[in-house]
Amino acid sequence: MNDLVSPNPASADRVLQRVILPRDTDPLDVRPLYLDEPEHVHSHVSSRRAVTVPPSARVSFAAYFNAFPASYWKRWTRIDEVVLRMDVRGAGRIDVYRSKPNGDVVHLQGRAVPAGEDWQTLEFRISLRPFEDGGWIWFDAFTDDTRLEIAEAAWLATEDLTRQRVAIGTTTFNRPDDCVATLLALGEDPAVLAVVSRVYVADQGDRKISAHPRFAEAAAALGDRLQVIEQDNLGGSGGFTRALYEALEHSDVEQILLMDDDIVLEPDSVLRANAFARAAAAPVIVGGHMLNLQAKARLHTTGEIVDLGSCLWRPAPDAVVDHDFGQSSLRTSPELHKRINSTYNGWWMCLFPREVVQRTGLPLPLFIKWDDAEYSLRALAAGFPTVSLPGAAVWHMPWTDKNDATDWTAYFHLRNRLIMAALHSPYDMRRTLLKQGLRMALGRLLSMEYSTVAIEQKAVEDFLAGPDRLFDLLGTVLPEIQEIRRQYPDARVLPSAQEFPAPTFDMVRTEALLRPPGDPVRKSVRAAKALLHNLGAPQPVATERPQVNVPAGNALWYLLGNLDSATVSNPDGSGVAFRKRDPELFRELARRVVRNYRTLAREWPNLVETYRAAVPELTSVESWRKVFDS
């Protein structure tokens, strides 16, 4: 590619989305995200911006990172026409296609590439008029008996967009390898560095990234953009808020992009989010998708919402969940062609125009969990929607593969969901929260998750205490939770079930217990039996020797509720806990659950009023300045 000199180079200020290829260090698993190739065809990738299509082949760029998500640009931006531009050499043909919201494919235009040794520039103009409800645009390359080289392809605006600079913000806690890898990825592309003027890292752990062997390399690549701020552990909300605060107070950037430390970054996603926000018809929050870090061709979801009736997050209407591009390409997946409306985006990658932060305020002091969803709901109420933009993505471990349903994060899941419900639900949530809370607590008690019930009840009690303590709890509540969990055997995790005696039940008996109740009547009978079982004394031997070894996927109440003990593995397979039934503890925690939820139902209207009144102070720059200064 050193001999490529484009006769009419496109202005960087017109670029909406570059066509990119996998890195040399990427596993082959990611290739379907960039190219849609027949099984017998393997194009030669010579750089991140150049590919050679072999003779007698058809290669499609209808792939997640290279198709243009036209419906999102039509709905949310001022762009009404795009230009596909590329440099080509060799011989073949380029054809441009679009899809309808139902996935049907329409040929738009094409052009033959005459044989030659010189580089040629091709341009195709495409209107965005028919893309209101969905649809992508892409191109395919065809060859006969000669190869075809394609380079510097990009989707462009017809006119320059106003330049806007970005501050990147991330927070890390004892993940120096992950964090430094992300910093290195940011520094590898000059085009990314051209729009990034600040990189803030809130380092909250005791394993500092500055001690990492490759930190100096990352710092040299980022230059004076990089600012590492060492502070106490204030959780994700405290770390991300520090980045937002620094960008507002100590820079004049127009955009602030937050991203997790434990991601694998596709650097072009920074450019795409930046361009989308610059082109937006009105200010919007631009979120990136999550690709599965452990199965890299899989997209976790195309969009999420908060259901304000249940106050739970879930996939947005028509959203696709856990799609494997290695098994089903964009062209063969009609469900991927509808435009999805989200109400929030996780902060694994999320860009905020400066105006949005100035008018919405800073995040709530929630430590971790629900801070991203609450913020987008608050921004939406102020007139700033969230767009989850296809083609802008990072690789991150999905929460479905984590242990945060039962570990210390369960406290924050519950307390912060109650806060979010009080602030944003238009409904009377008392009956819903009462039913949800009692059902969840009973399931955990039957499953011998006593430590989780204990910290969840602390969550309810801390919520009942009101918003005035949130800043005080920011730096102290995690040690309190960890101390509570240390009092319960089910919170003590060992590396493997081999650390414990062999189970007493045989495999056939275990298999029968694993069968779920098939209908509501049987489910009620099984629940009644489990409840009675938990009120009686356990077998003495069960306290020393587990009855069953239970995989994480089978750790459900209808099995565990009829046992006296079991080892249960973590969802990520990293360890095993020995759960033991304790009737006295069951009764004690059950009484606490009932008492707390009665209070919650009685005090809910007052709590809603109190929390809503406290938002301006909790989210002000002045309040957070006191935290950071101390």
Side-chain angles (χ1 to χ4, degrees):
M1 283 308 302
N2 292 334
D3 56 346
L4 170 57
V5 179
S6 180
N8 299 297
S11 165
D13 294 329
R14 289 177 56 199
V15 176
L16 307 178
Q17 177 177 311
R18 301 187 300 177
V19 173
I20 53 176
L21 288 307
R23 291 169 281 204
D24 293 340
T25 55
D26 287 332
L28 288 177
D29 298 355
V30 309
R31 196 174 178 94
L33 298 172
Y34 299 88
L35 294 168
D36 182 0
E37 300 167 297
E39 187 175 351
H40 64 283
V41 173
H42 191 83
S43 305
H44 174 65
V45 174
S46 52
S47 77
R48 294 229 69 193
R49 303 296 315 286
V51 62
T52 301
V53 180
S56 303
R58 173 181 180 171
V59 172
S60 179
F61 289 78
Y64 177 77
F65 277 124
N66 285 326
F68 186 74
S71 63
Y72 289 81
W73 288 85
K74 163 70 183 294
R75 170 64 181 85
W76 296 107
T77 76
R78 303 184 305 274
I79 306 297
D80 56 15
E81 186 179 47
V82 295
V83 177
L84 170 61
R85 185 186 187 281
M86 69 187 75
D87 296 307
V88 296
R89 183 170 68 175
R93 181 177 175 83
I94 301 295
D95 279 292
V96 182
Y97 299 85
R98 76 170 177 91
S99 64
K100 298 179 181 180
N102 65 358
D104 287 351
V105 176
V106 179
H107 179 264
L108 294 178
Q109 51 186 298
R111 193 174 306 170
V113 180
E117 296 185 1
D118 295 329
W119 287 95
Q120 307 169 54
T121 299
L122 302 183
E123 288 193 354
F124 304 87
R125 282 180 172 259
I126 305 104
S127 170
L128 298 188
R129 184 177 180 182
F131 290 98
E132 180 65 24
D133 296 325
W136 300 69
I137 313 171
W138 66 86
F139 68 95
D140 289 2
F142 302 83
T143 58
D144 191 1
D145 57 357
T146 306
R147 69 182 187 176
L148 178 63
E149 297 175 74
I150 302 171
E152 302 298 320
W155 302 93
L156 310 174
T158 56
E159 297 179 354
D160 286 356
L161 301 177
T162 302
R163 293 185 181 183
Q164 293 185 0
R165 296 158 302 160
V166 183
I168 304 288
T170 188
T171 181
T172 187
F173 180 80
N174 290 341
R175 286 188 177 131
D177 292 341
D178 294 334
C179 189
V180 171
T182 299
L183 297 179
L184 288 166
L186 280 173
E188 73 182 26
D189 191 328
V192 175
L193 292 177
V195 303
V196 174
S197 63
R198 294 285 189 277
V199 179
Y200 298 109
V201 181
D203 192 343
Q204 304 186 124
D206 49 27
R207 294 169 53 204
K208 301 300 183 184
I209 64 169
S210 57
H212 191 277
R214 298 193 67 188
F215 175 76
E217 180 184 349
L222 295 173
D224 59 6
R225 301 174 184 85
L226 179 62
Q227 182 178 349
V228 178
I229 304 159
E230 296 183 356
Q231 65 180 33
D232 291 341
N233 183 18
L234 305 178
S237 67
F240 282 133
T241 301
R242 186 61 183 263
L244 293 169
Y245 169 86
E246 295 293 335
L248 290 181
E249 292 291 288
H250 302 127
S251 83
D252 57 357
V253 297
E254 294 86 359
Q255 301 174 1
I256 309 161
L257 192 155
L258 302 181
M259 60 176 62
D260 272 333
D261 61 340
D262 56 341
I263 60 170
V264 172
L265 175 67
E266 171 49 77
D268 214 71
S269 297
V270 176
L271 297 177
R272 297 178 184 195
N274 168 261
F276 194 88
R278 287 157 57 206
V284 295
I285 298 171
V286 185
H289 283 168
M290 181 203 294
L291 296 162
N292 192 320
L293 186 60
Q294 297 182 327
K296 291 195 171 181
R298 285 162 61 175
L299 175 65
H300 183 66
T301 182
T302 53
E304 294 179 293
I305 63 169
V306 177
D307 180 348
L308 293 177
S310 65
C311 287
L312 296 169
W313 54 53
R314 68 171 183 84
D318 295 321
V320 177
V321 177
D322 197 24
H323 181 83
D324 189 345
F325 285 100
Q327 297 296 320
S328 183
S329 69
L330 179 64
R331 289 186 300 167
T332 60
S333 305
E335 66 275 14
L336 290 172
H337 294 255
K338 291 183 180 180
R339 179 174 52 79
I340 304 301
N341 294 313
S342 302
T343 56
Y344 83 99
N345 198 95
W347 287 354
W348 47 80
M349 176 188 163
C350 203
L351 181 144
F352 305 84
R354 186 185 190 94
E355 178 186 351
V356 171
V357 182
Q358 288 174 324
R359 293 179 56 184
T360 304
L362 293 173
L364 288 171
L366 299 181
F367 193 84
I368 195 172
K369 302 300 178 186
W370 284 97
D371 46 347
D372 46 12
E374 188 283 326
Y375 194 90
S376 276
L377 291 173
R378 185 155 33 103
L380 182 61
F384 305 115
T386 295
V387 180
S388 293
L389 179 64
V394 298
W395 285 272
H396 188 272
M397 183 181 289
W399 52 87
T400 49
D401 292 334
K402 296 183 178 181
N403 192 39
D404 65 357
T406 60
D407 67 5
W408 58 270
T409 54
Y411 167 92
F412 296 102
H413 273 297
L414 181 54
R415 186 200 66 175
N416 297 347
R417 187 169 72 89
L418 293 172
I419 293 172
M420 190 280 303
L423 293 179
H424 298 291
S425 179
Y427 308 109
D428 185 341
M429 291 297 297
R430 283 177 286 187
R431 179 174 296 181
T432 298
L433 293 174
L434 189 63
K435 289 171 60 178
Q436 289 174 342
L438 294 177
R439 186 188 303 118
M440 180 170 61
L442 179 59
R444 294 202 188 284
L445 288 170
L446 294 177
S447 300
M448 299 175 282
E449 296 177 88
Y450 303 126
S451 65
T452 306
V453 176
I455 63 172
E456 286 182 331
Q457 292 317 296
K458 175 175 171 53
V460 176
E461 291 157 4
D462 285 349
F463 171 75
L464 292 171
D468 294 344
R469 297 183 62 235
L470 284 178
F471 274 118
D472 293 336
L473 289 172
L474 193 58
T476 63
V477 72
L478 180 56
E480 293 176 21
I481 295 167
Q482 291 170 331
E483 179 58 33
I484 291 171
R485 295 186 77 241
R486 276 192 283 268
Q487 301 171 25
Y488 298 89
D490 62 279
R492 299 169 196 156
V493 177
L494 296 181
S496 171
Q498 66 179 320
E499 306 283 342
F500 304 101
T504 57
F505 284 9
D506 63 74
M507 296 299 294
V508 174
R509 185 176 181 184
T510 301
E511 183 182 38
L513 287 169
L514 283 171
R515 294 193 190 104
D519 57 65
V521 174
R522 291 182 181 177
K523 190 173 184 179
S524 298
V525 171
R526 184 79 73 92
K529 288 182 178 179
L531 185 59
L532 291 173
H533 179 74
N534 272 265
L535 297 177
Q539 296 179 12
V541 68
T543 62
E544 302 297 330
R545 185 177 173 186
Q547 294 176 321
V548 182
N549 295 147
V550 181
N554 297 118
L556 302 170
W557 68 265
Y558 55 77
L559 166 63
L560 296 171
N562 288 283
L563 297 175
D564 287 340
S565 67
T567 60
V568 180
S569 55
N570 289 343
D572 62 2
S574 63
V576 174
F578 188 4
R579 301 185 189 178
K580 308 173 186 180
R581 190 165 64 81
D582 186 331
E584 289 303 316
L585 193 53
F586 184 100
R587 292 186 180 91
E588 175 188 331
L589 289 171
R591 287 192 292 268
R592 185 177 172 190
V593 168
V594 171
R595 180 173 65 251
N596 283 339
Y597 277 99
R598 279 179 176 170
T599 305
L600 180 69
R602 183 178 64 251
E603 297 297 328
W604 183 255
N606 293 331
L607 289 164
V608 168
E609 183 178 338
T610 302
Y611 273 92
R612 292 183 181 184
V615 168
E617 182 176 354
L618 292 173
T619 61
S620 71
V621 169
E622 291 74 19
S623 294
W624 277 102
R625 182 182 291 117
K626 294 175 184 177
V627 175
F628 298 139
D629 287 349
S630 65

